[in-house]
Amino acid sequence: MIRLDYRDARPIYEQVKDGLRRLMVTGVLAPGEKLPSVRSLAMDLAINPNTIQRAYAQMEMEGYVYSVAGRGTFVAEGQEQNLVRRREVEDKVRPLLQELRELGMTEGEWIALWRGGNENA
């Protein structure tokens, strides 16, 4: 689901936001689907609930999620936000893929790299 990298320079709440947005953009989290409670996700990730609350609050401001008092936080219908984020990711990935092609990496190696492994290791 969401992986945190404590060596990453980005704050943890941003990593949580990026992980959730990735799940939304790829369709793993569908519009209208309820997100885990703040406490539940904080326990799963072994981090402070305030960090999750901050990520949820910012995602709500950006239009990715909405809150219903007493019910929880849900994925917004906002396909526009998903399309914008998908374009942002594609724009970042395109130069990297070109560089990997120039280095002679195969599609299978790209996929293994994307999944967090190294096919040659």
Side-chain angles (χ1 to χ4, degrees), residues 24-68:
M24 291 174 198
V25 169
T26 58
V28 174
L29 290 174
E33 188 170 342
K34 185 177 180 189
L35 294 180
S37 71
V38 168
R39 183 174 294 168
S40 170
L41 187 55
M43 287 178 55
D44 288 347
L45 297 175
I47 60 176
N48 190 309
N50 293 333
T51 303
I52 302 299
Q53 185 61 45
R54 183 173 182 184
Y56 280 13
Q58 286 204 351
M59 291 182 72
E60 187 166 10
M61 287 189 311
E62 294 170 3
Y64 285 96
V65 299
Y66 64 93
S67 297
V68 177

Side-chain angles (χ1 to χ4, degrees), residues 52-100:
I52 302 299
Q53 185 61 45
R54 183 173 182 184
Y56 280 13
Q58 286 204 351
M59 291 182 72
E60 187 166 10
M61 287 189 311
E62 294 170 3
Y64 285 96
V65 299
Y66 64 93
S67 297
V68 177
R71 304 223 36 208
T73 303
F74 299 83
V75 177
E77 297 289 331
Q79 294 302 315
E80 183 60 31
Q81 289 91 348
N82 288 345
L83 292 174
V84 168
R85 182 65 179 149
R86 185 174 284 179
R87 280 188 218 111
E88 289 173 359
V89 170
E90 287 173 359
D91 289 344
K92 290 178 183 177
V93 168
R94 225 175 256 117
L96 178 60
L97 289 177
Q98 182 59 37
E99 184 175 345
L100 293 175

